[in-house]
Each structure stands twice: as C-alpha cells, then as structure tokens.
Amino acid sequence: MPDDDAIITRRHYNYIAEHTRGDDEFLIELKQAAEAAEIPKIWISPAQASLMQVILKLHGAKQVIEVGTLAGYSAISMARALPDDGRVRTIELESRHADFAEQWIAKSNVANKVKVLRGAGVDVLKTIDSGSADACFLDADKANYPRYLDECLRILPVGGLIMADNAFAFGRLFDQVEDDSGVAAVRRFNDYMAAEKRVHAVMVGIGDGCWVGVKEA
Ligand code: DHB
Ligand code: MG
C-alpha cells in the first residue's frame, strides 16, 4: 500500500457516523439557530461528541473546562456526560457567540451544569484555581493551544484528562500552507504534544482528529 494511501477516509467517517448516536431534536435545533445567526459551522461532529462523552464517563469527570464555546454544542454535549453535580466551565472570547451559547444553554437540559466564562482563553484560564478541574477540552485559537495546554496542566491533577480538537487541521494537515496559518499552528501543537513528557496522549481519528491524553506528572 502506498505511504499516502488514506486509512481514515470520508467513507470511514460516514460509516462511523452511521454507527454512532446522533444529535437529538434539541441539538439539531441549536445548530439550525446557530446557522441562522451566522455562527461558523465548525462545531465538533456528533461522533466526536460521543467519543468525548464516553471518555468523560469512563474518567468519572465532574469539573470540565472548555476553551472555545462557539455555539455551546460541545459544552452541552459534555455536560450531559457528567453527574448531577458536575459542571462545564466554557471560555469564549466572541461576545456574540457567548450570548448565543448562553441562550441555548439556558433552554437545554443541562442549564445548571454549564457556565460561560467570557474572555480570551489564556487570560481566563489564568484565573482558574489549580486542582479545580479534572478534564479540559481545547478548541478555539490554534496558535494558542500550547499556552492553553500549559495552563491546563497547571489546573489539572495527575491523572487529569486532556482533549484537544482539530488534530487533523480541518482536513488540511498535509497541505502546503503559510507559517502563520491555523494549519501550521495545529502542526506545531501536534509536535508540542508529542514531545510533552507530562502527558501520555494519542490522536484519535474521529471528527477532525481529537487528541486524548492523561497528565502523568
Ligand atoms: C476551525 C476551527 C475549529 O475549532 C474547528 O473545529 C474547525 C475549523 C477554523 O478555524 O476554521
Ligand atoms: Mg474545533
């Protein structure tokens, strides 16, 4: 088989989707409203939501931090995998997105389990107490992922869970791109994670590639 033969193809992606729990009516409506509000359609896939929910359940996660709320789809999905006293704190820079997400979180079945924190990822992460979360999900600004990771490694205990979106760089991981592009930023982060001795992590080929890791030291 040639080296560049695709192993995870569009066909696999669709097949996985067909064999994985999809969105309920509420999440379908949320996405329709987000589209109507011209929020970019860059939320995680339903299969990735299931991957993250299963991992959060296995981990027994209670306190989750998300960097990059967008429309609130992933925050609501993660909150649904937590016990009643669990909580997702989700960080959003764009006030238009934070407003939209807050409205839909309030209407959801996890309204009391999700709080939107407004501001830039690194700035808000710096205000979060060490030891106050057991899982983090990185999304948002790709160039800042290494800084998000450093802050999350401060916040999480040993054994804490780290997940990060877009390890496959929006499907353009191997494209020729400028150094200042999001794709190049993702590649730098992937190299950073691979070299990071404090985390045992693996890229999972679900959605646009999802890093899943555990803080080791
Ligand atoms: C983009 C960002 C994301 O977090 C994502 O999941 C997909 C696309 C983007 O910036 O284009
Ligand atoms: Mg993303």
Side-chain angles (χ1 to χ4, degrees):
M1 185 161 70
D3 277 352
D4 62 353
D5 228 28
I7 307 244
I8 300 170
T9 61
R10 172 65 59 178
R11 198 170 168 194
H12 288 92
Y13 182 98
N14 292 338
Y15 187 83
I16 291 167
E18 285 160 13
H19 293 78
T20 309
R21 211 178 269 182
D23 293 331
D24 64 7
E25 276 302 315
F26 179 82
L27 290 175
I28 291 168
E29 276 177 36
L30 178 153
K31 285 179 177 174
Q32 286 167 348
E35 261 194 270
E38 295 182 3
I39 293 175
K41 291 170 62 177
I42 54 171
W43 33 78
I44 59 169
S45 71
Q48 187 177 339
S50 274
L51 170 75
M52 290 164 49
Q53 288 175 321
V54 169
I55 290 169
L56 288 168
K57 287 178 184 181
L58 289 170
H59 187 58
K62 275 196 172 177
Q63 293 288 335
V64 179
I65 294 168
E66 174 179 63
V67 188
T69 311
L70 194 68
Y73 176 85
S74 46
I76 291 168
S77 298
M78 289 194 287
R80 287 174 169 180
L82 305 183
D84 288 344
D85 59 346
R87 200 142 205 242
V88 176
R89 281 171 284 177
T90 179
I91 303 169
E92 180 54 52
L93 178 61
E94 294 254 357
S95 53
R96 206 169 65 81
H97 296 171
D99 292 344
F100 179 94
E102 274 182 345
Q103 270 180 34
W104 281 82
I105 289 160
K107 290 198 273 188
S108 78
N109 62 349
V110 287
N112 54 355
K113 289 162 73 175
V114 184
K115 183 164 172 51
V116 179
L117 306 178
R118 291 167 187 255
V122 176
D123 296 347
V124 177
L125 285 171
K126 281 184 190 297
T127 69
I128 295 178
D129 290 344
S130 297
S132 71
D134 41 35
C136 295
F137 174 54
L138 312 187
D139 213 348
D141 177 33
K142 308 313 166 204
N144 271 310
Y145 269 33
R147 272 162 287 213
Y148 301 155
L149 180 67
D150 287 344
E151 280 305 314
C152 288
L153 289 174
R154 173 187 61 76
I155 294 164
L156 292 172
V158 170
L161 170 67
I162 308 233
M163 298 182 285
D165 194 30
N166 305 108
F168 293 168
F170 336 112
R172 297 195 284 127
L173 190 55
F174 306 115
D175 290 4
Q176 263 206 319
V177 293
E178 303 294 319
D179 283 349
D180 61 356
S181 67
V183 174
V186 167
R187 282 189 207 133
R188 281 193 295 273
F189 176 72
N190 289 343
D191 292 345
Y192 189 82
M193 272 293 262
E196 176 54 78
K197 299 261 192 310
R198 295 173 294 173
V199 186
H200 184 190
V202 60
M203 283 181 231
V204 180
I206 293 263
D208 183 40
C210 183
W211 273 107
V212 177
V214 173
K215 177 177 165 178
E216 286 205 312

